[in-house]
Amino acid sequence: MKALTKYQLRKISKNLDKYFNQATSEDIKQGKQWYKDANRICQDMARRYNTDAMTAAQVISALSPRNRWTQNIWDAYTIFDAVQDGLSPEDVKVCTFHTNKFKAFNIAKNKTKITDKSLKTYNFCQNIANLCAESLTIDIWHLRGCMDKLIKIDNASIGRLAYGQIKKLTIKKAEQLGLKGYEFQAILWLTIQKNYGI
């Protein structure tokens, strides 16, 4: 996706308002808490496995494709346990793709890292590891909310320019509401999923 026009950004702004206005008080409460809970999990992994929160976040992120959050966390603990016990990727089972399991092992062993070349996952790791207010996770659900249409998962990639524009706009809107960007995004995640019946 190329750079977004002013017209497109105005439409995205209105769409984000629309979905935020659908949030219940419970959605707002849950959305404000979600990343704080994820951060606590990263901190626990860091303490338990003598690593840092960013490494924990990256292992979680590597295991996340097609994986429910609770299972994702369980799988991350499984990977760290396996590395601590000297096991190999073939010795454990997780609920995502084999390539992601091997990547998670390499991250846990400090052989590789998720960099800002992978915009969504890097921002996600910054959000859950550091509660970084300058980072924003733009996933398929955020894109669906921005465009107000059901985008298929295989069409969810956007270029760096568009990512930066949506990120800046979303964080600005969050700040106007007295929220962190990641809190606003988590609230929207809940309302957008309800809109699509998930």
Side-chain angles (χ1 to χ4, degrees), residues 94-158:
V94 296
C95 294
T96 191
F97 306 109
H98 289 306
T99 51
N100 293 78
K101 176 172 68 170
F102 278 76
K103 182 178 182 179
F105 257 84
N106 284 329
I107 292 167
K109 290 180 171 185
N110 292 312
K111 291 183 176 180
T112 190
K113 291 191 178 300
I114 293 172
T115 69
D116 64 358
K117 289 183 180 178
S118 304
L119 286 172
K120 183 192 84 172
T121 52
Y122 181 77
N123 277 270
F124 176 70
C125 290
Q126 288 288 346
N127 286 149
I128 68 172
N130 302 318
L131 296 176
C132 177
E134 292 79 41
S135 298
L136 186 82
T137 306
I138 301 176
D139 65 357
I140 183 68
W141 294 103
H142 198 72
L143 281 179
R144 286 171 177 169
C146 288
M147 305 309 168
D148 200 22
K149 65 180 182 180
L150 183 62
I151 299 168
K152 292 187 178 178
I153 194 104
D154 53 351
N155 292 330
S157 63
I158 57 174

Side-chain angles (χ1 to χ4, degrees), residues 31-100:
K32 287 176 74 174
Q33 191 61 39
W34 195 90
Y35 279 98
K36 291 173 187 169
D37 291 343
N39 178 259
R40 274 195 280 279
I41 293 165
C42 291
Q43 299 296 338
D44 178 66
M45 286 182 189
R47 281 188 300 274
R48 191 179 295 197
Y49 300 106
N50 195 27
T51 187
D52 55 69
M54 181 55 80
T55 300
Q58 290 183 22
V59 168
I60 292 167
S61 181
L63 296 167
S64 68
R66 308 292 192 277
N67 206 351
R68 292 191 180 277
W69 178 246
T70 51
Q71 184 64 49
N72 189 174
I73 299 308
W74 182 265
D75 289 346
Y77 279 107
T78 299
I79 294 293
F80 278 114
D81 281 338
V83 168
Q84 194 173 57
D85 294 342
L87 301 177
S88 70
E90 295 87 351
D91 296 322
V92 298
K93 182 179 178 185
V94 296
C95 294
T96 191
F97 306 109
H98 289 306
T99 51
N100 293 78

